[in-house]
Amino acid sequence: MGELNLRAAWTEFWNGLGFNTFDGLLMAIGIGIFAIALITYLIKRSRDTGNAKFPWAATIVAAVLAGPSVVIPFAADIVSALVNVFITIANKGIGMF
């Protein structure tokens, strides 16, 4: 029995939709937004510690923009690894599959 690979499935799906040409651009924009927000936050925090608030909105926007090429494949790898470990244990340990 083969291993589950959700990253490959996501890549195939994303490429099938035709959005794969924008992956690099979306990731660069997302990382740029997050970097600018983080630098601004660190500067404000160094000047006045009580007034600086972490840029959660910029973090969310960056994650959404970088999602198709970074966040979703990373999460898919984690889920795939957990499912594969469960299947291996169930297959060898109790003969479930």
Side-chain angles (χ1 to χ4, degrees), residues 4-79:
L4 179 66
N5 187 353
L6 294 176
R7 177 187 281 252
W10 169 255
T11 303
E12 189 70 28
F13 173 73
W14 190 245
N15 290 344
L17 292 177
F19 294 122
N20 61 334
T21 56
F22 300 110
D23 278 352
L25 178 63
L26 290 175
M27 187 174 57
I29 292 171
I31 291 171
I33 289 171
F34 180 72
I36 291 169
L38 186 64
I39 290 169
T40 305
Y41 164 72
L42 292 173
I43 290 171
K44 283 182 182 177
R45 191 174 132 203
S46 68
R47 292 182 182 162
D48 182 17
T49 57
N51 196 18
K53 294 190 180 3
F54 190 77
W56 289 109
T59 304
I60 292 169
V61 169
V64 168
L65 289 175
S69 60
V70 178
V71 178
I72 295 173
F74 181 68
D77 279 344
I78 292 172
V79 172

